[in-house]
Amino acid sequence: MNRLFKSIVIGLAVAGSLASAQAADFKPRIVRFGYGLAEDSNQGRAVRYFAEEMGKLSGGKWKVKGFGGASLGSDPQMQNALIGGAQEIMVGSTATLVGIVSDFGVYDLPFVFANEKEADTVLDGPFGQKLMDKLQAKGMVGLVYWENGFRNLTNSKRPINKMEDMAGIKLRVMQNPVYIDMFKGFGANAVPLAFSELFTALETGTVDGQENPVTTIESSKFYEVQKHLALTRHVYSPWIVTVSKKWYDGLSADEKKALQQAAAASRDFERKDSRAASAKAIEVLKQKGMQITTPSDTELGRMRATTTVAVDKFAAQPGHAEVVKELQAELAKLRK
Ligand code: TK8
């Protein structure tokens, strides 16, 4: 009797959840999710996680297909495809969004976040949301921030222990004025270039170096073409998951809700996964033959002192002083 009762209850529960999945308003959709890193990277793993979540939440109606290795284009090309409605979803650095909403450059100001916890709190809080909301007027909708991570420097010329060691190094930076100004300030020869062209540029010697989190240095196999790694952690770099507003506006309320839910789940997955990968990456890079240096706090402080030029230049543009002030206020609250 007891067993029969239990199986009835389980039966009803299963029927109930199936019915609610069917009652929800989901259209069959093919959704293209583009990203710049290799399929075998923290970015690729999180895109696959998101695709699975969306499959479940839509009762199998949504087929989210990941396109890695910039196969749908560089970050700026994908942003334009989203705006035009030719692509549904992408993830990329907030730094590459400055051509659309220049305020995003605020995250690139050197040595702003002290640790991941600060970054999570600010990005997931009202400051991060307000900045994200500015994308809507430009034809994109921001869903969540993922972690790219603290950026470090690699090059093929020499070990970097102090700022002067960067002198004259042709260093690829993202297409973002804060990065260009920051590395010019360090004495490097900053060359803006899309990530999709970076490996070849390093391989052919078009540039001598680049800067990215250790997870990316590993997954992009930069150790094959770079000898030296300096752990500078000069910027905490967020990724942002964005969708086409044109496409988003045609979704049902149920679809929008599920999209946000899957995005939040993917964020939690991605940060955990990236941090685990990051903890192992330095050892892997050593084994691959990279020579690793850690500039002292004094030397990092000297580098930081030169970045006031980049910061002031950013803050001098319309609306930016306000954004910088707001971010500093958020950080001050956390550090009390
Ligand atoms: C991936 C990029 C990458 C970024 C860069 O498309 O360009 O260096 O760090 O993560 O967004």
Side-chain angles (χ1 to χ4, degrees), residues 314-326 328:
F314 176 80
Q317 281 152 52
H320 287 182
E322 195 56 34
V323 182
V324 173
K325 231 170 72 193
E326 280 174 25
Q328 279 163 350

Side-chain angles (χ1 to χ4, degrees), residues 95-274:
T96 59
L97 268 175
V98 293
I100 315 267
V101 174
S102 66
D103 295 9
F104 273 104
V106 73
Y107 294 134
D108 305 313
L109 299 181
F111 306 101
V112 158
F113 293 114
N115 52 51
E116 286 86 354
K117 191 159 180 279
E118 278 190 359
D120 291 356
T121 311
V122 171
L123 294 167
D124 299 347
F127 181 88
Q129 188 61 48
K130 189 174 164 192
L131 200 42
M132 221 180 225
D133 290 344
K134 293 186 182 171
L135 287 167
Q136 296 221 10
K138 306 286 182 175
M140 295 168 87
V141 179
L143 297 182
V144 280
Y145 294 99
W146 288 356
E147 173 158 296
N148 189 357
F150 280 102
R151 304 180 77 92
N152 299 294
L153 204 68
T154 70
N155 85 94
S156 57
K157 291 279 178 206
R158 61 186 93 102
I160 308 288
N161 286 298
K162 55 181 189 309
M163 190 162 63
E164 287 73 13
D165 297 333
M166 279 187 246
I169 286 184
K170 266 187 282 169
L171 192 91
R172 175 271 177 177
V173 294
M174 291 186 279
Q175 294 142 303
N176 174 305
V178 178
Y179 279 91
I180 299 171
D181 294 337
M182 170 180 9
F183 279 96
K184 276 190 186 157
F186 293 157
N189 179 359
V191 183
L193 192 72
F195 184 83
S196 48
E197 291 166 45
L198 180 51
F199 188 90
T200 309
L202 292 169
E203 195 176 32
T204 57
T206 307
V207 294
D208 306 317
Q210 64 87 42
E211 44 84 51
N212 254 299
V214 285
T215 40
T216 297
I217 296 167
E218 182 189 349
S219 65
S220 300
K221 299 190 166 40
F222 289 157
Y223 51 79
E224 290 180 356
V225 287
Q226 298 277 272
K227 184 75 187 162
H228 305 284
L229 164 63
L231 301 173
T232 47
R233 293 168 64 94
H234 48 276
V235 177
Y236 176 89
S237 187
W239 278 328
I240 185 169
V241 180
T242 50
V243 306
S244 162
K245 180 147 191 318
K246 257 190 192 164
W247 172 75
Y248 182 85
D249 287 344
L251 301 177
S252 72
D254 285 336
E255 287 175 320
K256 285 179 182 164
K257 197 174 145 211
L259 185 66
Q260 199 61 56
Q261 202 177 320
S266 73
R267 172 196 59 208
D268 297 344
F269 168 86
E270 194 272 347
R271 284 184 183 155
K272 221 170 137 191
D273 178 63
S274 288

